[in-house]
Amino acid sequence: MRCYKPVDVKIGVLALQGNVSEHIEAFLLALNRMGQGYSSEVFEIRHPADLSGCNALAIPGGESTTISRLIDKNYMYEPIRSFSGGIFATCAGMVLMATRVDDTRVHTLDLIDMTVDRNAFGRQRESFEADLPIKGLDGGPFHAIFIRAPVATCAGAGVSVLSRMDQGIVAVEYGNHMALSFHPELVGDTRLHERFLKNLRILP
Amino acid sequence: MKLEELRFGTELLKRGFASMQKGGVIMDVVNADQAKIAEDAGAVAVMSLERVPSDIRKMGGVARMADPEKVIEIIDAVSIPVMGKVRIGHFVEAQVLETLGVDMIDESEVLTPADEQYHIDKKLFKVPFICGARDLGEALRRINEGAAMIRTKGEAGTGNVVEAVRHMRNILGEIRMLKGMDRQEMIDFARDIEAPAELVIECSERGRLPVVNFSAGGIATPSDAAMMMQLGADGVFVGSGIFKSSSPERMAKAIVEAVNHFNEPEVIARVSRGLGDAMPGLDVHTLRDDEVLQTRGR
């Protein structure tokens, strides 16, 4: 006998500060492109209780010192550290996921064994767009938007490096987590979102 | 990857940068010490200027871009983005700030306008621009010139939020009005408000401005900031409201927290308790015509 059981996919986007609505739209688009047959929800997260039942969490770009301070202030630090689902982190989110960062005011979550340099390319005038080759991603290079972006200067043995530039590593995977220096939520290309969701093995 | 394969200063990078400021508070600072206080309080960025708006009101004279020495001192003091104000139409002040490494430029009516006919051609720059607006037409004219962020003009340096409220309601109300219009009516409306028709239609499709929409001009308390967020602002600028209050550190932190929890009155109540005096306010109806800043540029 086979039973049909709809899978509830719940994705929370940390909504303390930054590029929140774009992440929600990008995940909705990715889920839509990945097919039907299950129910899904993508919503904002501001308090520890909002995390319960989530399969995935997105930590958006924004100002890493600001988001870090707000994570502490809202008692989100331990709940995010002990979160059992996958985390999709971009830009400031990548800084927060690291073990070490070049700024003591950022209280990193220490979830991916890597050292991160903030604003590694410089100030806003040095922000750039580039077509970036990404390991194992079908469909050609990814059009990446780097905005006062960080890089990882070194990553631990278990961390899978997906892409690097002269300045350092700009995309990694580690277990269920993905961390990116750039902003896939700004370009309408959901291949990285889809890859992240597939890795979670929560979709039928 | 070769340098020539990278593209700098694109529209997407400018609007993307502006978008990263959402949900944040951007604070006016005049020196490195104030910049550090703002950063420690959780500001997403600081706005460098020579004098805060309430001092510009008091002192009179021509208000210009800040001394580059001060701007560099502020850039060196903090890791958050540093913005800077230039006079309306003063493209050389903007070139100077871009050279110094300022992350975003505010072409601001708070300073004395340098050109009463034209705003800066912002598309010629790599750094993104902010411009003030009082209604949808003004906002879309600025976006058409290349602005990557709009803020309400409000009436800066008064500590009186009434004009910021008026301008936010104007902009968002006019966008809501578009919902009931067909294409021809929108084109006609665009002519009325002196804005490009394609931008009016884009607003209608998105139900919002094509760029982020902050609030500024008279925000002096955590409740003011939260009200602007509830009305639909993507974030707020606080000018004189922080460093003209009796306890700047506490006021700065309280406003950041109020913006973060703008829909939670119990949080706003908690952070507002015993804050000391907000900046002294001005009734905008008592201002002489030549003291009103919001009518500069149109």
Side-chain angles (χ1 to χ4, degrees):
Chain A
M1 192 174 88
R2 301 180 70 180
C3 301
Y4 176 69
K5 186 169 171 282
V7 181
D8 236 352
V9 181
K10 291 174 97 176
I11 302 170
V13 178
L14 190 67
L16 300 177
Q17 190 268 318
N19 212 23
V20 176
S21 59
E22 287 82 353
H23 270 280
I24 292 176
E25 284 160 28
F27 268 111
L28 288 171
L29 193 59
L31 287 162
N32 195 24
R33 286 175 179 168
M34 291 174 80
Q36 306 297 321
Y38 54 90
S39 57
S40 58
E41 267 183 64
V42 187
F43 49 88
E44 296 185 358
I45 286 193
R46 287 198 164 80
H47 298 283
D50 305 337
L51 260 177
S52 69
C54 281
N55 305 102
L57 172 69
I59 305 182
E63 199 39 53
S64 56
T65 47
T66 306
I67 297 177
S68 175
R69 195 173 285 106
L70 291 170
I71 285 175
D72 285 343
K73 202 167 225 169
N74 289 9
Y75 310 103
M76 296 288 284
Y77 185 82
E78 279 308 325
I80 296 175
R81 263 186 62 81
S82 55
F83 179 60
S84 59
I87 299 180
F88 185 84
T90 62
C91 197
M94 175 172 176
V95 174
L96 290 164
M97 292 295 279
T99 308
R100 292 161 299 272
V101 63
D102 60 330
D103 189 327
T104 52
R105 289 167 303 185
V106 181
H107 187 195
T108 58
L109 293 158
D110 189 15
L111 287 168
I112 299 180
D113 179 14
M114 59 182 175
T115 305
V116 167
D117 255 3
R118 299 172 66 233
N119 308 333
F121 298 91
R123 308 191 67 83
Q124 173 59 15
R125 66 178 176 207
E126 281 94 31
S127 292
F128 62 94
E129 299 183 22
D131 290 317
L132 198 66
I134 292 179
K135 201 171 91 184
L137 193 70
D138 295 333
F142 194 91
H143 190 67
I145 310 295
F146 290 82
I147 297 174
R148 281 173 53 104
V151 298
T153 50
C154 58
V159 178
S160 165
V161 174
L162 302 181
S163 189
R164 66 166 78 231
M165 298 181 69
D166 293 345
Q167 288 80 356
I169 298 162
V170 296
V172 299
E173 266 175 344
Y174 180 70
N176 282 336
H177 306 323
M178 184 183 282
L180 310 167
S181 298
F182 50 91
H183 293 279
E185 77 281 6
L186 292 179
V187 291
D189 181 344
T190 54
R191 283 179 292 160
L192 288 166
H193 291 82
E194 291 174 40
R195 171 166 165 161
F196 165 78
L197 290 172
K198 272 184 202 133
N199 282 348
L200 293 179
R201 297 176 210 292
I202 47 171
L203 298 181
Chain B
M1 186 164 292
K2 293 181 204 72
L3 199 63
E4 58 268 27
E5 291 168 9
L6 311 183
R7 289 164 62 214
F8 298 89
T10 63
E11 208 52 42
L12 190 53
L13 289 166
K14 291 174 177 176
R15 291 184 182 188
F17 172 79
S19 183
M20 298 307 147
Q21 316 302 313
K22 284 194 296 186
V25 181
I26 299 169
M27 301 181 191
D28 276 3
V29 299
V30 299
N31 57 41
D33 289 340
Q34 291 188 353
K36 282 186 201 147
I37 290 170
E39 183 177 46
D40 287 339
V44 284
V46 290
M47 175 68 69
S48 61
L49 72 175
E50 196 167 36
R51 289 170 272 164
V52 295
S54 66
D55 284 339
I56 291 174
R57 279 189 187 285
K58 270 188 217 133
M59 293 179 195
V62 175
R64 310 181 180 90
M65 166 186 85
D67 181 339
E69 187 74 22
K70 285 281 178 204
V71 178
I72 291 167
E73 178 190 309
I74 291 166
I75 286 175
D76 289 343
V78 295
S79 72
I80 55 177
V82 175
M83 304 178 174
K85 279 189 193 293
V86 301
R87 288 179 260 176
I88 289 174
H90 206 315
F91 51 88
V92 173
E93 284 188 346
Q95 291 164 5
V96 169
L97 288 189
E98 181 173 58
T99 301
L100 295 176
V102 161
D103 296 292
M104 195 170 203
I105 295 172
D106 186 356
E107 185 180 20
S108 177
E109 70 284 356
V110 170
L111 307 186
T112 311
D115 189 327
E116 294 190 331
Q117 182 71 26
Y118 296 105
H119 279 68
I120 296 171
D121 185 356
K122 294 165 272 286
K123 290 185 174 161
L124 298 176
F125 289 78
K126 281 204 170 72
V127 287
F129 277 76
I130 310 159
C131 284
R134 288 167 299 168
D135 52 39
L136 184 61
E138 196 171 6
L140 296 181
R141 286 194 292 279
R142 298 293 88 78
I143 292 167
N144 195 43
E145 293 159 359
M149 180 192 279
I150 292 297
R151 55 168 175 73
T152 58
K153 283 179 165 175
E155 190 55 42
T158 59
N160 189 339
V161 78
V162 64
E163 294 300 302
V165 169
R166 189 191 319 279
H167 301 159
M168 189 56 76
R169 284 193 185 279
N170 280 350
I171 292 171
L172 299 177
E174 286 172 295
I175 293 173
R176 281 188 289 268
M177 261 167 54
L178 297 174
K179 284 272 174 251
M181 294 186 197
D182 68 14
R183 204 183 142 77
Q184 279 181 306
E185 287 164 341
M186 279 194 270
I187 291 168
D188 194 49
F189 179 70
R191 206 176 296 129
D192 277 351
I193 65 171
E194 298 175 61
E198 63 272 22
L199 288 179
V200 170
I201 292 165
E202 190 180 345
C203 286
S204 162
E205 283 164 1
R206 293 184 187 224
R208 54 161 299 140
L209 287 179
V211 303
V212 292
N213 182 14
F214 271 49
S215 186
I219 294 164
T221 68
S223 296
D224 287 351
M227 175 162 75
M228 296 318 300
M229 294 298 287
Q230 285 195 25
L231 282 173
D234 291 317
V236 301
F237 286 85
V238 187
S240 322
I242 308 260
F243 291 100
K244 290 294 169 189
S245 71
S246 63
S247 174
E249 285 97 339
R250 292 190 56 207
M251 183 61 85
K253 283 184 182 152
I255 290 180
V256 168
E257 211 163 335
V259 167
N260 186 228
H261 297 280
F262 66 87
N263 262 331
E264 298 167 59
E266 60 282 8
V267 175
I268 299 161
R270 175 170 54 75
V271 301
S272 303
R273 286 178 68 170
L275 266 188
D277 294 331
M279 67 176 288
L282 276 177
D283 181 353
V284 293
H285 300 292
T286 63
L287 297 176
R288 293 192 315 267
D289 281 354
D290 62 331
E291 292 174 324
V292 174
L293 302 178
Q294 59 178 281
T295 49
R296 295 166 163 185
R298 64 164 294 285

